[in-house]
Amino acid sequence: MREISVFSGQASKGFAEEICGYLEVPLLPSRLQRFANDCLEVQLLENCRERDVFIVQPLVSPVQENLMELLMMIDAARGASAGRITAVIPHYAYARSDKKDAPRISIGGKLVADLLTTAGASRVLTMTLHSPQVQAFFGVPVDQLHALRELAVHLQGRDLSNTVVVSPDLGNAKAATAFSRLLGTPVAAGAKERFENDQVHITSIIGDVHGKDIIVLDDEIANGSTVIELLNHLAELGAKPARVVCTHGIFSNGSVQRIADREDVIEVLSTNTVPIGADKAHPKLTVISVANAFAEAIRRIHTGESVSALFQTVDAKP
């Protein structure tokens, strides 16, 4: 069997070190250099000839810088005769660009998928794509993990007898239903309209939320406009305070503070697929690591075992 080699881009050193800790392998060094003309150069500082290479890099701010570094690391591994190259992308930011919903726009999710394949990626490992159909954009196998089980474990043990899981929109209702099964609660969903300039409006909520404890589940929170609009609507309907749960805590433009500072928010819960720095820290914010899930997926990819078994478990109680 090929040896395993794990490298990391600049955006994910801590996350990659966690993964390597679970795998009991070293995180191999690489070098990123910027020339005077602002061009980048990447060098992998360990041999990866005929090895099973995993390159860890989320597409997070600055997205374009991190994407270019990832592409160059993949290209460097291919040029070094790696046996197989898996791009481990905990957060695939371009999954939001999945359709042509206006004239003369690019479909970024497809373009970036093509770039990763052209650079030399043999496989992609990611978590909770904003648009699951983006998997079909790739010409190589894609394994999409879910964090529902890890998030549910944090909430289990609390009194959830009067709790409802609420999805901000119908598009996320399937994931909310799976999450509610793990917790043994009912589920509800908002009917959302999105306008320009990131303005959203919740027209109604399907399901009973009056007098209920609330768990809001979304796949990612960026500006937080959807979650805040939903919380306002829930308050009007007489819901009790909420826990806000997401997989990808982007929390741009101070959104975590705007959400967590509300009196009707008990806790904000996110995973660490997006690095959350000290500038986004808040007493109500809890970050759950999913490095173990990625490590197990990497192990299974390396040994040829089933990866699908990891995310099929969200359909049933653990």
Side-chain angles (χ1 to χ4, degrees):
M1 183 182 296
R2 300 186 185 105
E3 292 185 60
I4 187 171
S5 297
V6 180
F7 295 91
S8 172
Q10 299 298 308
S12 54
K13 294 290 187 183
F15 190 79
E17 287 171 354
E18 279 193 71
I19 289 174
C20 289
Y22 285 106
L23 293 172
E24 298 182 339
V25 300
L27 177 61
L28 300 181
S30 61
R31 179 180 61 84
L32 176 67
Q33 179 178 352
R34 187 183 299 273
F35 294 110
N37 65 354
D38 206 37
C39 290
L40 300 178
E41 180 185 77
V42 166
Q43 182 182 15
L44 306 181
L45 299 177
E46 288 286 344
N47 174 42
C48 54
R49 182 178 296 273
E50 295 304 319
R51 293 190 177 187
D52 202 358
V53 174
F54 295 85
I55 300 174
V56 184
Q57 178 84 316
L59 298 187
V60 297
S61 182
V63 174
Q64 279 57 247
E65 291 268 325
N66 291 325
L67 171 59
M68 193 63 195
E69 183 187 12
L70 174 59
L71 292 171
M72 296 182 80
M73 293 183 78
I74 293 169
D75 180 66
R78 180 179 63 173
S81 301
R84 180 174 60 181
I85 305 166
T86 300
V88 181
I89 309 175
H91 176 54
Y92 185 70
Y94 277 98
R96 297 183 71 100
S97 178
D98 65 321
K99 57 186 175 295
K100 191 171 182 179
D101 53 4
R104 297 173 298 280
I105 63 171
S106 68
I107 303 176
K110 177 67 166 66
L111 175 60
V112 173
D114 289 343
L115 289 171
L116 290 165
T117 305
T118 300
S122 313
R123 192 179 198 97
V124 171
L125 174 62
T126 188
M127 177 169 274
T128 313
L129 292 168
H130 182 74
S131 300
Q133 62 268 25
V134 168
Q135 292 179 81
F137 290 169
F138 289 85
V140 297
V142 177
D143 293 307
Q144 181 190 192
L145 303 177
H146 298 279
L148 299 184
R149 183 172 56 184
E150 287 81 3
L151 294 169
V153 166
H154 176 78
L155 296 170
Q156 287 166 348
R158 293 172 171 79
D159 181 6
L160 302 177
S161 59
N162 190 45
T163 300
V164 177
V165 172
V166 181
S167 169
D169 54 56
L170 298 176
N172 194 55
K174 184 176 181 180
T177 300
F179 195 56
S180 70
R181 289 175 183 163
L182 290 171
L183 297 175
T185 70
V187 65
K192 182 177 75 173
E193 294 181 3
R194 182 176 290 276
F195 305 96
E196 293 183 3
N197 301 321
D198 203 34
Q199 297 297 311
V200 298
H201 179 56
I202 304 292
T203 58
S204 62
I205 292 180
I206 303 168
D208 181 20
V209 297
H210 179 77
K212 302 292 185 180
D213 299 316
I214 302 297
I215 296 175
V216 173
L217 177 72
D218 209 351
D219 62 318
E220 66 177 60
I221 298 177
N223 280 322
S225 54
T226 295
V227 170
I228 289 172
E229 171 70 8
L230 178 63
L231 290 170
N232 290 337
H233 205 80
L234 288 167
E236 292 173 2
L237 294 176
K240 291 186 175 181
R243 286 182 166 87
V244 177
V245 179
C246 69
T247 298
H248 306 298
I250 302 168
F251 299 136
S252 55
N253 302 318
S255 60
V256 68
Q257 284 78 19
R258 290 197 304 275
I259 294 170
D261 284 346
R262 294 175 61 108
E263 293 183 359
D264 57 353
V265 171
I266 300 172
E267 180 182 29
V268 179
L269 179 63
S270 174
T271 78
N272 61 341
T273 57
V274 176
I276 298 177
D279 60 317
K280 298 176 182 177
H282 194 282
K284 292 184 183 178
L285 175 63
T286 303
V287 180
I288 302 295
S289 178
V290 289
N292 59 336
F294 276 91
E296 179 60 18
I298 288 171
R299 186 191 69 78
R300 288 173 180 242
I301 290 169
H302 180 61
T303 58
E305 298 176 55
S306 171
V307 176
S308 62
L310 291 176
F311 49 81
Q312 286 175 348
T313 56
V314 301
D315 293 327
K317 277 193 166 185

